[in-house]
Amino acid sequence: MREASKSAVRVPPVDPLPLEGLIELIERRYGVDLRQYRQRFLGRRIRSRMMARGVADCTAYSRLLRDDPGEYDALLEALSINVSRFMRDRTAFSVLRDQALSPLLQERRSSSARRLALWSAGCATGEEPYSVALLLAESLQSRLSRWRLTVHGTDVSAKALAWARRGCYRPESFGDLDAPYVQRYFSSTVGGLTLERRIRDLVTWYRQDLRTTPPLPAYDLILCRNVLIYYDRAEQEAIVSHLIDHLVPGGYLMLGMVEMLPPSQTGRLVVVNARHRLYCRSPLS
């Protein structure tokens, strides 16, 4: 093993100047803002692609990107974190159901404005927005068709979104999902379990960067869980501000449990559940 490692391509640390050049190449092609990623994270991911292609420095990798456009897609996929599960962290989804979705449904039901708009930002392969759709289906039962429900799933990865649109998932996606959900809403097909069409039709998918303008101007609920950890502090602040800007007054925002609300944004939100990072936009913010 030691001898093999000596003969492997040795990739030096990605120094700032060539890295800036790579970032500009990718941004010009895709229109994504890679500077929002933490530099260490960005460097690790780029180095992994350089090693995979047997390239020893950033200059050579830049040439490879120009000569092989398909490498852009491979690099962009490497920069995406597509690890997800249905109801990832069951307790968090119970909190989401009881302390956000239920109040929203009750409010809209009593006002006869039976419509909700929800956004899962950085949704990877789609388990999160589908989980929200399942919670809505369980809550509304036969009344589901009487509501105008909009669920948007967005991600920068075209490959992940293609997977999400199929709605077919392998067993590892179901570790946190209670058996009754699987029995009621999924059927066995070649390659895994497929979500039934009426639930899939609740979700619309968009490929977009996290900080670009979402499809709707305002949402009743935004989920952005376990995404901020890949950005530096200044970008986290900008992203959370952007998300709050697209929440209706009284709308809910949920972050990941390890993610902290930037201090500059605390005055715009009311804490609903501190442990599970669930917040409500203040009517005055």
Side-chain angles (χ1 to χ4, degrees):
M1 292 295 292
R2 290 182 181 177
E3 290 301 318
S5 64
K6 287 180 181 179
S7 62
V9 174
R10 184 177 182 275
V11 179
V14 178
D15 51 305
L17 187 59
L19 182 59
E20 282 295 310
L22 286 173
I23 288 171
E24 289 177 8
L25 284 172
I26 300 163
E27 288 179 334
R28 283 200 300 269
R29 184 174 181 88
Y30 283 107
V32 297
D33 182 7
L34 294 182
R35 288 173 178 81
Q36 52 190 289
Y37 287 107
R38 289 179 176 174
Q39 291 299 299
R40 284 183 298 176
F41 167 75
L42 197 60
R44 285 197 305 269
R45 295 283 163 158
I46 290 175
R47 284 197 298 273
S48 72
R49 287 305 309 161
M50 290 167 63
M51 293 181 69
R53 296 301 302 269
V55 174
D57 58 61
C58 287
T59 302
Y61 190 59
S62 296
R63 288 197 298 267
L64 174 63
L65 287 170
R66 285 192 291 268
D67 297 338
D68 182 4
E71 179 60 21
Y72 278 105
D73 294 321
L75 177 58
L76 200 59
E77 292 299 330
L79 293 172
S80 302
I81 308 300
N82 298 323
V83 178
S84 189
R85 296 190 302 276
F86 287 99
M87 307 287 184
R88 186 178 183 184
D89 186 346
R90 295 184 190 184
T91 306
F93 271 90
S94 295
V95 167
L96 183 69
R97 179 193 61 210
D98 297 339
Q99 299 183 29
L101 285 177
S102 291
L104 283 170
L105 290 171
Q106 183 59 39
E107 174 195 335
R108 301 302 164 81
R109 185 184 297 116
S110 60
S111 68
S112 71
R114 295 187 175 92
R115 60 178 66 185
L116 284 178
L118 308 101
W119 175 22
S120 172
C123 70
T125 47
E127 288 94 331
E128 182 177 270
Y130 279 144
S131 294
V132 174
L134 289 170
L135 290 178
L136 290 169
E138 281 291 287
S139 297
L140 295 172
Q141 297 289 328
S142 61
R143 303 185 303 277
L144 183 67
S145 60
R146 303 176 197 169
W147 284 70
R148 291 185 59 185
L149 301 172
T150 301
V151 183
H152 288 158
T154 67
D155 200 271
V156 72
S157 170
K159 183 178 179 181
L161 292 176
W163 190 287
R165 288 186 181 96
R166 289 195 296 268
C168 182
Y169 294 91
R170 298 177 181 134
E172 53 264 32
S173 292
F174 296 90
D176 290 347
L177 189 62
D178 292 334
Y181 279 100
V182 179
Q183 295 164 3
R184 282 196 290 271
Y185 297 105
F186 291 84
S187 59
S188 295
T189 55
V190 176
L193 294 172
T194 298
L195 187 61
E196 65 176 45
R197 170 65 68 178
R198 71 186 180 104
I199 305 300
R200 299 205 311 271
D201 287 347
L202 292 175
V203 185
T204 306
W205 310 95
Y206 296 90
R207 186 185 187 189
Q208 67 173 59
D209 184 68
L210 186 59
R211 285 184 56 190
T212 57
T213 302
L216 292 180
Y219 291 85
D220 300 292
L221 169 67
I222 297 175
L223 292 152
C224 187
R225 301 171 65 231
N226 308 307
V227 178
L228 295 179
I229 55 176
Y230 299 104
Y231 300 91
D232 63 30
R233 190 168 300 176
E235 289 299 334
Q236 289 178 5
E237 184 174 337
I239 290 167
V240 171
S241 177
H242 176 69
L243 296 175
I244 297 172
D245 288 344
H246 289 89
L247 268 181
V248 300
Y252 295 87
L253 170 67
M254 180 176 258
L255 305 177
M257 283 185 65
V258 299
E259 296 167 329
M260 301 300 294
L261 187 67
S264 63
Q265 302 302 310
T266 55
R268 304 182 66 190
L269 297 170
V270 176
V271 178
V272 177
N273 189 301
R275 174 174 172 76
H276 291 283
R277 306 294 191 260
L278 179 63
Y279 307 93
C280 180
R281 180 174 180 179
S282 169
L284 301 179
S285 67

